[in-house]
Amino acid sequence: MSLKDELKEIIGNRRRFMLLRIADVDVETARKLCGVRQGTYNSWCQDDKFVALYRRRDEFSGEYKQEAIQLLRRTNQLNAVLLEEEILVKMRN
């Protein structure tokens, strides 16, 4: 099983936060990089699926740290391509 399969139940900022934590980014930095307020993070900690996965963070970090970094890079590359597309559209106009 891969990290992608393990994390399939969570999406969006929760997934990005989890990937950052698996890549050994500290909690506060990961929260800030995701643009998540403390209250939102606290509400995530009430979600059983998120908590179950988060408790396995050390295990995931040991097994899947490199995959987490690769998944984060893919997301950043996709965001860069989308941003470039928007810039090109504006330049054409």
Side-chain angles (χ1 to χ4, degrees):
M1 186 173 279
S2 69
L3 180 61
K4 188 175 181 179
D5 294 332
E6 294 277 7
L7 299 181
K8 67 183 175 197
E9 295 184 21
I10 58 174
I11 59 172
N13 274 338
R14 289 180 194 202
R15 181 184 178 92
R16 184 165 183 237
F17 175 83
M18 185 70 75
L19 290 171
L20 288 165
R21 292 292 291 136
I22 292 168
D24 287 332
V25 174
D26 68 273
V27 175
E28 287 305 310
T29 303
R31 195 174 58 75
K32 288 176 185 174
L33 287 171
C34 292
V36 174
R37 294 185 176 155
Q38 185 67 43
T40 302
Y41 171 74
N42 291 342
S43 71
W44 292 352
C45 294
Q46 303 300 315
D47 178 11
D48 293 336
K49 291 178 185 178
F50 180 81
V51 171
L53 289 169
Y54 195 67
R55 286 185 179 153
R56 296 178 58 201
R57 189 193 67 80
D58 288 335
E59 172 192 341
F60 291 154
S61 187
E63 288 184 44
Y64 302 120
K65 185 175 186 176
Q66 189 61 37
E67 185 180 348
I69 293 168
Q70 289 173 345
L71 289 169
L72 287 166
R73 283 184 185 150
R74 284 188 197 140
T75 302
N76 288 340
Q77 288 172 346
L78 176 61
N79 289 338
V81 169
L82 293 173
L83 181 61
E84 287 174 1
E85 181 182 5
E86 288 180 24
I87 290 170
L88 290 173
V89 168
K90 288 182 181 181
M91 289 175 66
R92 285 185 190 136
N93 291 334

